[in-house]
Amino acid sequence: MDKNVKLPGTPYSSDDFKKGKIPYVEDVPKARYTWSAGIAMSRFLEELKNGRIVARKCHECGRVYVPPRMFCSYCFRPTDEWVYVKDTGRVNTAVVSYIGADRGKLGEPLVVAVIELDGASEGMGILHKLGNVDPEDVKNRKVFNMRVRAVWKKPEEREGAITDILYFEPIE
Amino acid sequence: MGRDVAIIGIGSTNYTPMTTEYSYKELMFEAALKAYEDAGINPRKELDALVTAAEDFWEGVSIFDEYIPDQMGAVLKPALTVSGDGLWGIIHGYMLVKTGYFDIVAVEAHSKASDIDNIMDVWRIALDPHYHRPIVDNVHMFAGLEMMRFMEEYNVSREALSMIVVKNRYNALYNPMAPYGTKTDIETVSNSEVVSYPLRKMDISEYSDGATVVVLASREVAEKYDKEPIWIEGVGWISDSPNIEEWDLACPSHVVLAASMAYSQANIDNPFKEIDLAEVDDRYSYREFQSLVALDLTNGYMMDELVFEGVISPSGELPVNPSGGYLGMGYPLEAGGLVKLYNAVVQLRGEAGPMQVGDVEKAVVMTRREFPSPSSAVVVLGR
Ligand SMILES: [Zn+2]
């Protein structure tokens, strides 16, 4: 900003807060949760530890839900069966982010994609990171329909979390 | 004014202190499946809109409305979340049907209180950060302040308050969905640990988890189904100023006004005479009396007489909380009003089994959104 511009009001700095020149209340909301994962998500997370992606199938419409749900959102009935889907798929869309959650610049740009997994119904899949993908390939749209495969953490390092898959990378 | 609105289906999970095995989505699905089956509708074809009542801080997820459609059969349908108790959800659903644009609307509320590790800290976030947080340590102190004023003005004995707890927890023994049914006695309640004097531990409802769904429909639609419709005859909801200093702490104005709004729509002149059943707020023991006073349901009886002479027992002149109320079913956060409404509908239909209080033609359901919110909602139901 142009330092010669005279703004109305009383100027203050963050230092003035520290020195107690400006009255304020500080309060930190404390809220902690232990979410019940439930039947569907618990099995999904457990299977990630085994290096597998599990889904639920609805026998009425044939949809294969991944991540799994105990109900079919479209038929409104309980889903019927656990099925495994592959850890390979194709990229539906992708994004390249150059900033982190705090808007700070990332050292390496982050590529994240919506991936339709093989064996799941159309439109079902996983939101995950892409690795070994040149950001230029997102910009020039080569990424569309790119075939990718999950790169897993070592079995002993998995903890039953979505991050047990490190990222998806292109299948050569 | 507008068209008539009926309740054509109800469904609920049981309420329990913990539901670690299910996600909230799975609880909602169970309640919804039962409600749609009860109504005899296929939500994918017939449901016009969904209303849920939920508070982000209870869920631990902000903008919680994004997570509601899947398990309710409401994907790609109009849906909205009311940040309030389930009874406010019912009122919003009722208004949607009244507009004429929606024939069948589902209303949902649930509690996953057991997922919250530090619930008293979450209550604290509701307190005014400048005026109240530095002074008041926990929300039960608000209840203590109100209880003190109420006991003073209405001359209530400690024994009568304890008897409310004894009654409601005994009633809950007959309610299959209630987890806190027990036979206790006045002495045990009166000697339970002091929380914020005069409030004792057993004066406070414990939390519970569960989900409840209610299906509303217009008269035209309701009359096509076999199930006897239960009519929503009047609704009222009122919010007072947030300043506790301004409240009528003995007889809350917001309850009085919400009741008069609902009664006038339902053409009720003499509530005690015309109403056969009351499911009212009993988050704290004294609240049951206070709710009855504000709802004009005491018929001139003293508070002690109401409970000791059996006026408000399941076989009395006016059965109050035969479900066990919050004291017996647990306080399920925003699902509270919906659970009370569910139990009133069961009674109106004559389907309450061992809980049935006789022939119920008209019922009133009332709850508050809890401290520090000075707000309440009242719904009058009829056959
Ligand atoms: Zn299906």
Side-chain angles (χ1 to χ4, degrees), chain B residues 14-15 172-173 175-181 323-325 328-330:
Chain B
N14 282 335
Y15 278 77
L173 282 174
N175 186 348
M177 80 195 289
Y180 296 109
S323 64
M329 293 192 295

Side-chain angles (χ1 to χ4, degrees), chain A:
Chain A
M1 187 185 287
D2 184 350
K3 285 195 174 135
N4 299 319
V5 176
K6 177 99 174 81
L7 293 170
T10 310
Y12 59 84
S13 68
S14 57
D15 227 32
D16 293 334
F17 281 95
K18 285 178 201 150
K19 287 178 185 157
K21 282 189 184 168
I22 294 160
Y24 69 101
V25 170
E26 192 172 308
D27 196 88
V28 181
K30 278 178 279 179
R32 289 189 311 273
Y33 307 86
T34 306
W35 290 296
S36 318
I39 297 170
M41 201 198 298
S42 297
R43 173 84 189 264
F44 178 73
L45 298 173
E46 198 60 36
E47 290 284 7
L48 288 177
K49 259 191 189 171
N50 302 325
R52 291 191 295 224
I53 299 173
V54 77
R56 284 288 291 184
K57 186 170 183 178
C58 169
H59 284 173
E60 192 150 305
C61 65
R63 276 191 181 79
V64 174
Y65 284 97
V66 58
R69 300 170 200 170
M70 298 316 288
F71 38 83
C72 177
S73 306
Y74 291 86
C75 302
F76 199 72
R77 58 187 291 282
T79 47
D80 302 282
E81 185 188 5
W82 297 101
V83 292
Y84 293 106
V85 298
K86 296 211 170 78
D87 68 350
T88 56
R90 63 168 203 101
V91 173
N92 174 316
T93 186
V95 67
V96 189
S97 183
Y98 292 87
I99 57 167
D102 61 357
R103 288 194 166 205
K105 197 162 165 45
L106 293 172
E108 286 288 316
L110 174 68
V111 185
V112 163
V114 173
I115 299 156
E116 293 182 2
L117 291 171
D118 295 332
S121 295
E122 199 184 334
M124 301 286 166
I126 197 165
L127 175 76
H128 220 295
K129 295 176 188 174
L130 288 186
N132 303 321
V133 169
D134 187 344
E136 287 309 312
D137 284 346
V138 177
K139 294 181 198 169
N140 63 27
R141 306 188 174 195
K142 272 192 190 158
V143 77
F144 284 122
N145 294 316
M146 183 184 273
R147 298 279 307 151
V148 291
R149 165 192 298 127
V151 176
W152 296 82
K153 273 187 184 166
K154 286 184 204 136
E156 63 274 19
E157 289 171 6
R158 292 179 201 152
E159 47 195 5
I162 195 72
T163 46
D164 287 352
I165 294 173
L166 293 165
Y167 51 83
F168 283 73
E169 65 173 9
I171 300 173
E172 297 310 325

Side-chain angles (χ1 to χ4, degrees), chain A residues 25 27-41 69-78, chain B residues 20-23 26 29 32-33 36 43-44 57 59-60 70-73 75 112 115 117-118 121 124 130 133:
Chain A
V25 170
D27 196 88
V28 181
K30 278 178 279 179
R32 289 189 311 273
Y33 307 86
T34 306
W35 290 296
S36 318
I39 297 170
M41 201 198 298
R69 300 170 200 170
M70 298 316 288
F71 38 83
C72 177
S73 306
Y74 291 86
C75 302
F76 199 72
R77 58 187 291 282
Chain B
T20 43
E21 66 276 37
Y22 296 116
S23 67
E26 289 158 4
F29 178 66
L33 205 58
Y36 297 144
R44 297 304 299 151
F57 263 112
E59 306 298 335
D70 266 9
Q71 58 276 18
M72 294 296 302
V75 171
K112 263 292 204 176
D115 277 5
D117 292 347
N118 54 340
D121 287 331
R124 188 183 162 275
H130 302 278
R133 283 189 212 176

Side-chain angles (χ1 to χ4, degrees), chain B residues 23 40 51 55 63 75 114-115 123 137 142 153 173 203 207 222 230-231 252 260 275 279 281 320 328 336 343-344 353:
Chain B
S23 67
V51 178
E55 163 62 49
I63 321 177
V75 171
S114 70
D115 277 5
W123 281 114
D137 191 42
F142 278 75
E153 286 190 33
L173 282 174
D203 288 314
Y207 297 103
I230 300 300
W231 302 102
S260 85
I275 286 165
E279 280 287 338
D281 174 42
V320 176
N343 279 278

Side-chain angles (χ1 to χ4, degrees), chain B residues 99-352:
Chain B
T99 63
Y101 289 106
F102 305 87
D103 286 323
I104 300 183
V105 176
V107 180
E108 185 274 350
H110 61 270
S111 162
K112 263 292 204 176
S114 70
D115 277 5
I116 307 165
D117 292 347
N118 54 340
I119 200 160
M120 290 309 283
D121 287 331
V122 178
W123 281 114
R124 188 183 162 275
I125 303 168
L127 299 175
D128 183 282
H130 302 278
Y131 298 130
H132 292 157
R133 283 189 212 176
I135 306 295
V136 173
D137 191 42
N138 68 74
V139 285
H140 295 321
M141 290 174 75
F142 278 75
L145 290 162
E146 198 182 53
M147 183 176 182
M148 198 78 179
R149 194 70 231 167
F150 176 71
M151 288 176 77
E152 174 71 9
E153 286 190 33
Y154 287 88
N155 195 22
V156 193
S157 70
R158 174 63 250 181
E159 289 71 28
L161 294 169
S162 297
M163 192 59 202
I164 290 289
V165 179
V166 173
K167 170 181 80 77
N168 289 4
R169 294 195 63 177
Y170 182 79
N171 289 351
L173 282 174
Y174 292 90
N175 186 348
M177 80 195 289
Y180 296 109
T182 188
K183 269 178 147 170
T184 183
D185 52 60
I186 291 174
E187 218 187 331
T188 308
V189 180
S190 301
N191 291 317
S192 63
E193 186 191 337
V194 180
V195 176
S196 297
Y197 184 87
L199 198 67
R200 289 173 184 269
K201 190 167 185 297
M202 288 182 76
D203 288 314
I204 307 171
S205 300
E206 301 282 346
Y207 297 103
S208 59
D209 287 5
T212 299
V213 173
V214 174
V215 184
L216 308 178
S218 62
R219 176 180 285 276
E220 299 71 36
V221 169
E223 285 178 345
K224 283 192 212 144
Y225 290 86
D226 299 339
K227 203 113 214 166
E228 184 192 2
I230 300 300
W231 302 102
I232 298 181
E233 299 186 343
V235 303
W237 75 104
I238 296 285
S239 292
D240 201 343
S241 156
N243 308 307
I244 184 170
E245 302 83 354
E246 292 178 41
W247 305 346
D248 182 336
L249 289 160
C251 178
S253 317
H254 52 90
V255 185
V256 174
L257 293 171
S260 85
M261 182 175 166
Y263 289 158
S264 85
Q265 288 168 22
N267 295 317
I268 289 179
D269 300 319
N270 185 339
F272 188 86
K273 222 170 147 184
E274 295 173 53
I275 286 165
D276 306 308
L277 166 85
E279 280 287 338
V280 302
D281 174 42
D282 62 331
R283 164 84 164 111
Y284 303 100
S285 60
Y286 72 92
R287 281 282 185 77
E288 182 159 314
F289 287 135
Q290 193 181 39
S291 303
L292 294 176
V293 169
L295 288 163
D296 191 17
L297 287 174
T298 61
N299 199 33
Y301 287 108
M302 302 289 287
M303 299 301 116
D304 285 44
E305 289 170 344
L306 282 172
V307 71
F308 285 120
E309 292 179 13
V311 180
I312 56 174
S313 74
S315 57
E317 282 179 79
L318 177 68
V320 176
N321 293 328
S323 64
Y326 295 147
L327 288 161
M329 293 192 295
Y331 179 58
L333 304 176
E334 311 301 3
L338 220 52
V339 176
K340 287 188 177 291
L341 183 110
Y342 177 99
N343 279 278
V345 170
V346 168
Q347 292 279 357
L348 282 152
R349 285 179 176 179
E351 292 174 353

